[in-house]
Amino acid sequence: MAKTKKARRLDELAAQIKVCTRCPLWESRNEAVPGDGKYTSEVMIIAEAPGKEEDESGKPFVGSAGRFLNHVLEGTGLDRTDFFITNTVKCRPPKNRTPKKLEVDTCTSNYLFEQIELVNPRLVMLLGTVAAKTVLGVKSVNEARGRVIERDGRKFLVGYHPAVRFYREDLGEKVKEDFALLKREIKRLAK
Ligand code: SF4
């Protein structure tokens, strides 16, 4: 079947991201990670930046975070291929440091915002402060988590990234709550 214009543009963006040198993060990456999943998905998940395993594989949400997501989705009738999953910046910052403003601004203005428009999801889960701040302008995860924020005709949820559990044990319960809310809102979309 012929690809739609939107799908062709998403392919084009992914190809550009793979060879992008627009901000300094390209110098230390192994693989840029454009994101993957269903181009017409109703649900989009946006995290901060690729981690080590993502940088090595070129795929988002692999390793333990990916297994956690699969676990969360049990019983929803969905799996990760039903979503579009990506990051705010597409290249791994050295030693997983927080991406700088210039890196975030460059990457999102060239790629993320257009990806959101093209996929056009009804529900967007933002994981971590960088994603929440960039897309919704909120100051922190805590300020926005635990509720549904409606904006521009979409629903947004803010939560902690599952990986946070490995260095902040106290946030483990909050991660579970955030993903329980995601699961509930996914079920509501189906009604
Ligand atoms: S982080 Fe984004 S803007 Fe920077 S080099 Fe990678 S793809 Fe390009």
Side-chain angles (χ1 to χ4, degrees):
M1 203 201 306
K3 284 198 169 180
T4 63
K5 200 171 159 191
K6 282 186 180 186
R8 285 199 305 274
R9 180 62 187 149
L10 281 159
D11 283 347
E12 211 170 86
L13 287 176
Q16 286 171 15
I17 289 166
K18 282 286 181 193
V19 295
C20 179
T21 56
R22 290 180 196 258
C23 89
L25 289 181
W26 77 272
E27 292 179 58
S28 53
R29 75 173 179 229
N30 286 306
E31 295 276 345
V33 185
D36 69 9
K38 198 168 159 191
Y39 281 175
T40 54
S41 181
E42 298 205 312
V43 186
M44 194 159 170
I45 297 179
I46 304 171
E48 177 174 306
K52 187 171 182 294
E53 285 167 299
E54 295 171 306
D55 175 66
E56 284 164 1
S57 66
K59 301 245 174 246
F61 250 79
V62 291
S64 60
R67 284 193 290 280
F68 184 78
L69 182 60
N70 292 341
H71 167 68
V72 164
L73 294 175
E74 278 168 19
T76 61
L78 295 168
D79 71 43
R80 59 171 287 154
T81 58
D82 292 308
F83 300 156
F84 189 83
I85 304 177
T86 190
N87 286 295
T88 309
V89 298
K90 314 303 188 190
C91 300
R92 183 192 183 203
K95 297 184 181 162
N96 289 351
R97 67 157 168 76
T98 303
K100 296 177 182 169
K101 186 174 183 314
L102 169 88
E103 296 157 356
V104 170
D105 289 349
T106 307
C107 204
T108 52
S109 61
N110 282 286
Y111 305 119
L112 179 69
F113 294 143
E114 190 175 349
Q115 286 177 316
I116 296 173
E117 288 308 311
L118 289 164
V119 174
N120 196 20
R122 287 166 69 197
L123 177 64
V124 180
M125 175 89 173
L126 301 166
L127 296 174
T129 302
V130 170
K133 203 189 264 182
T134 305
V135 177
L136 290 178
V138 297
K139 288 199 188 75
S140 67
V141 170
N142 251 339
E143 180 190 322
R145 64 180 288 278
R147 60 194 165 97
V148 178
I149 298 171
E150 302 218 14
R151 196 168 298 175
D152 304 328
R154 306 185 208 288
K155 288 180 171 182
F156 291 88
L157 305 177
V158 171
Y160 288 103
H161 192 286
V164 82
R165 295 167 305 148
F166 301 118
Y167 53 94
R168 286 277 310 269
E169 268 182 39
D170 56 314
L171 294 181
E173 275 312 304
K174 291 190 172 176
V175 171
K176 284 185 195 157
E177 288 165 16
D178 295 339
F179 278 84
L181 183 57
L182 173 66
K183 200 166 170 170
R184 195 186 79 198
E185 289 303 315
I186 288 172
K187 283 184 180 161
R188 283 198 173 157
L189 289 182
K191 283 180 187 162

